[in-house]
Amino acid sequence: MKHPAKESLGKIFSAGTSYYGGLVQSHAPSAFDLRHSLSSYNKASKCVIPCKARSMMQFSCGSSSADQEIVIAMGSNVGDRVSTFNRALQMMKSSGVNITRHACMYETAPAYVTDQPRFLNSAVRGTTRLGPHELLKKLREIDKDIGRTGGISYGPRPMDLDILLYGNSQIDSGTLIVPHERIHERPFVLAPLVDLLGTSSDDGIEKSWHSLSKCNGGFFELWNKLGGESIIGTEGIKRVLPVGNCLLDWCERTLVMGILNVTPDSFSDGGKFQQVEAAISQAKLLISQGADIIDIGAQSTRPFAKRLSQNEELERLIPVLDEVTKIPEIEGKLLSVDTFYAEVATEAVKRGVHMINDVSAELGVPYVVMHMRGDPSTMQSDENLQYDDIHIDIASELSAKVREAELSGIPLWRIVLDPGIGFSKKSGDNLKVIAGLKSIRREMGKTSIGASHVPILLGPSRKSFLREICDSANPADLDAATVLPVTIGILNGANIVRLHNAGYCADAAKFCDALHKRRRWEK
């Protein structure tokens, strides 16, 4: 007689085999990808001709007559660097800068003057009607208001804002050089700058920016010359997610998120953990199994689930949340709340939650953007299950959500992507998504390389497509079967895996991380 777990794993493996090619390839755009993208730019525009230096008379002091696309670099290594970044964003917005896109956040080793704390670096893209010198004056005022004094050149500073690009202009005056003269030698500047570009050839201003780089391959080639993606994750430069009081390098290892449902109607474990004592016991069990994050949900999102009011959700959530924050085992772990109500999210963050899973609000915590069409009552309708190319369609719809989040004030460095396994997808679609995360990243990179780098959260645990494949009516019997889609997902670029039973997949995550590290050493 076959062991049920082995039989389930065999069925999952068979179902996923056709999607299994190239599992341990890097998910990030490679040096070749970026060179190819620049080649596409050149072909699309016939020839990229560097813009002539413009006379500074039109920009001497007043505002520009039209919106100018700009890129501003940000750096800080004094005080609460993350809070300083947030403050600088708000001050730029109130000073005439309309921020439309953010780069990822990087923690970097100091350059030039090395005996000082590590920096946080990023950049923003936006528009302004301020002239370049007027913009420079505003940025210097922000630096000063935040606390920057003269100090030594390249020394410590609470905030340093620099104009990297201003329209398609070349500027060389006594006080301002654009493009910034040291871009080519600074990975902490080039990494965020490249994040703000796309790999397609549709953006006219980006073509001009590449031509201004004074390099045939544009900023992509400059970045690749410094090492490109191969240097990310080294001591010199790490891509980070600010969570609570820490900066999380999500590529260092896969994070395990344990699910704690305090609902009567969740598809897998509804009713089991509604009582506070049972919920606390489950939280402790998940942590002992290897969970790094406890994700508490007080409202079911299964198909056709009844929607609670925010007050009903809070009545379920708060008693459990308050007790979970008190247990000794939660020390060093992260707390997440799964909700689509801004009011519930706000209350949860006030009580110590570090992360919000799918809500539209800026609370200074990571925000999980999940792919779903419609709502739980309509997501599995025939209309919402139609895809032309599922990877392209999901990438496009996630990109639109990321764009909306950024325009509402949520910076890219706080965003996590969830492709929504089981939401608006047929069984076969879920398999394609799990094995095609690299394709989704690549498609997102066409409009925003930064968006293609953010963490991906994957949640296949006990989902209905596993029940169909394994012919199992009991969701709790699918924990072993969950291991394979989790493994395939991690090898394709998932950074966080969301599970009902953390123990089954914690070791699989460690194994995948070891494979990733081995590949990196071999390079």
Side-chain angles (χ1 to χ4, degrees):
M1 180 178 177
K2 291 185 177 180
H3 190 284
K6 290 183 178 179
E7 187 174 10
S8 294
L9 284 171
K11 290 180 180 178
I12 295 294
F13 184 82
S14 297
T17 297
S18 61
Y19 307 111
Y20 202 86
L23 287 181
V24 293
Q25 296 177 11
S26 171
H27 61 257
S30 65
F32 173 80
D33 292 331
L34 296 183
R35 285 196 299 271
H36 177 73
S37 301
L38 213 286
S39 174
S40 298
Y41 267 115
N42 293 334
K43 290 178 181 177
S45 60
K46 305 296 184 183
C47 180
V48 177
I49 302 174
C51 300
K52 293 181 180 179
R54 292 188 171 190
S55 167
M56 284 309 303
M57 294 299 290
Q58 59 179 306
F59 296 130
S60 59
C61 58
S63 299
S64 171
S65 60
D67 287 337
Q68 297 290 329
E69 285 239 35
I70 57 173
V71 174
I72 298 172
M74 306 175 69
S76 172
N77 74 333
V78 174
D80 185 341
R81 299 170 297 173
V82 175
S83 293
T84 299
F85 264 50
N86 295 336
R87 186 179 172 195
L89 290 178
Q90 296 305 316
M91 294 176 76
M92 279 192 279
K93 292 174 185 176
S94 63
S95 298
V97 176
N98 176 35
I99 296 174
T100 58
R101 193 178 296 181
H102 309 73
C104 296
M105 181 177 283
Y106 297 84
E107 187 178 45
T108 64
Y112 310 117
V113 178
T114 58
D115 186 19
Q116 58 178 316
R118 292 175 67 84
F119 277 83
L120 282 189
N121 289 102
S122 190
V124 294
R125 178 173 169 176
T127 60
T128 189
R129 291 201 170 188
L130 297 171
H133 287 82
E134 187 181 7
L135 175 61
L136 178 64
K137 180 181 177 182
K138 293 286 187 181
L139 297 181
R140 291 292 167 263
E141 289 173 356
I142 294 172
D143 287 345
K144 185 177 180 180
D145 287 346
I146 289 176
R148 183 175 178 181
T149 57
I152 62 171
S153 183
Y154 307 120
R157 71 285 310 269
M159 179 50 62
D160 184 18
L161 300 173
D162 282 314
I163 303 172
L164 299 182
L165 296 164
Y166 184 95
N168 58 6
S169 301
Q170 287 181 305
I171 303 169
D172 190 353
S173 68
T175 56
L176 179 63
I177 299 176
V178 175
H180 195 283
E181 60 184 330
R182 291 184 178 269
I183 285 179
H184 66 283
E185 66 185 43
R186 296 179 172 183
F188 60 88
V189 172
L190 273 171
L193 173 56
V194 168
D195 282 347
L196 297 171
L197 307 176
T199 59
S200 73
S201 57
D202 298 333
D203 194 317
I205 190 63
E206 291 184 8
K207 295 174 188 176
S208 297
W209 287 346
H210 281 297
S211 72
L212 291 172
S213 70
K214 300 179 181 178
C215 183
N216 289 335
F219 290 113
F220 292 156
E221 184 172 331
L222 291 179
W223 172 230
N224 290 330
K225 283 181 178 180
L226 294 181
E229 277 299 303
S230 68
I231 66 172
I232 301 296
T234 64
E235 281 303 305
I237 180 168
K238 298 182 179 183
R239 203 174 275 128
V240 293
L241 178 75
V243 186
N245 295 322
C246 70
L247 295 172
L248 192 64
D249 178 358
W250 67 88
C251 290
E252 184 177 358
R253 67 180 182 87
T254 304
L255 297 174
V256 175
M257 175 183 278
I259 301 168
L260 178 58
N261 286 322
V262 291
T263 58
D265 55 345
S266 290
F267 76 91
S268 170
D269 50 13
K272 287 187 176 181
F273 310 118
Q274 277 188 281
Q275 300 301 315
V276 173
E277 294 80 6
I280 295 302
S281 294
Q282 180 65 5
K284 291 180 178 179
L285 175 62
L286 289 166
I287 293 170
S288 71
Q289 291 172 340
D292 303 289
I293 307 168
I294 300 298
D295 187 41
I296 307 176
Q299 176 147 206
S300 176
T301 53
R302 64 176 175 80
F304 312 112
K306 178 186 175 182
R307 182 164 178 167
L308 298 179
S309 70
Q310 64 188 39
N311 289 334
E312 289 173 313
E313 188 174 338
L314 283 168
E315 286 174 5
R316 286 182 185 175
L317 174 67
I318 297 306
V320 172
L321 178 58
D322 284 348
E323 293 304 314
V324 168
T325 57
K326 296 175 184 177
I327 63 175
E329 292 86 348
I330 206 68
E331 182 71 28
K333 306 297 180 181
L334 299 175
L335 274 176
S336 170
V337 162
D338 188 357
T339 182
F340 43 73
Y341 283 127
E343 295 83 355
V344 175
T346 300
E347 188 62 31
V349 171
K350 286 180 182 177
R351 293 169 182 267
V353 165
H354 306 98
M355 186 173 182
I356 297 300
N357 195 351
D358 198 22
V359 69
S360 299
E362 171 54 286
L363 298 169
V365 298
Y367 161 43
V368 180
V369 177
M370 191 185 79
H371 178 265
M372 179 177 72
R373 293 171 170 177
D375 57 40
S377 67
T378 63
M379 67 182 182
Q380 295 301 110
S381 68
D382 289 342
E383 181 183 2
N384 284 331
L385 292 174
Q386 299 304 312
Y387 295 92
D388 293 325
D389 181 304
I390 194 162
H391 300 133
I392 293 175
D393 292 349
I394 288 176
S396 175
E397 290 163 32
L398 280 176
S399 293
K401 285 192 171 186
V402 169
R403 179 81 169 161
E404 182 181 357
E406 288 195 86
L407 290 174
S408 72
I410 302 174
L412 188 68
W413 60 72
R414 291 196 187 279
I415 290 177
V416 177
L417 297 178
D418 181 346
I421 300 301
F423 293 84
S424 310
K425 295 167 187 71
K426 301 174 185 175
S427 290
D429 293 336
N430 291 307
L431 295 173
K432 291 179 182 178
V433 171
I434 291 167
L437 296 179
K438 290 193 299 291
S439 295
I440 293 172
R441 286 192 187 271
R442 186 164 54 248
E443 288 298 323
M444 294 189 73
K446 289 181 179 179
T447 54
S448 170
I449 291 178
S452 75
H453 288 315
V454 303
I456 286 182
L457 186 155
L458 192 71
S461 181
R462 299 181 182 177
K463 293 289 174 70
S464 60
F465 78 98
L466 295 174
R467 295 204 301 273
E468 291 179 22
I469 293 169
C470 300
D471 193 23
S472 174
N474 186 357
D477 291 339
L478 296 171
D479 289 334
T482 300
V483 173
L484 193 56
V486 163
T487 301
I488 294 173
I490 295 171
L491 292 176
N492 276 283
N495 308 103
I496 307 169
V497 288
R498 187 173 182 269
L499 307 158
H500 294 87
N501 187 325
Y504 273 89
C505 294
D507 287 342
K510 292 176 183 176
F511 177 78
C512 294
D513 292 343
L515 282 179
H516 282 313
K517 287 179 181 178
R518 181 176 179 83
R519 286 193 71 249
R520 188 156 199 161
W521 292 336
E522 288 174 349
K523 286 183 180 180

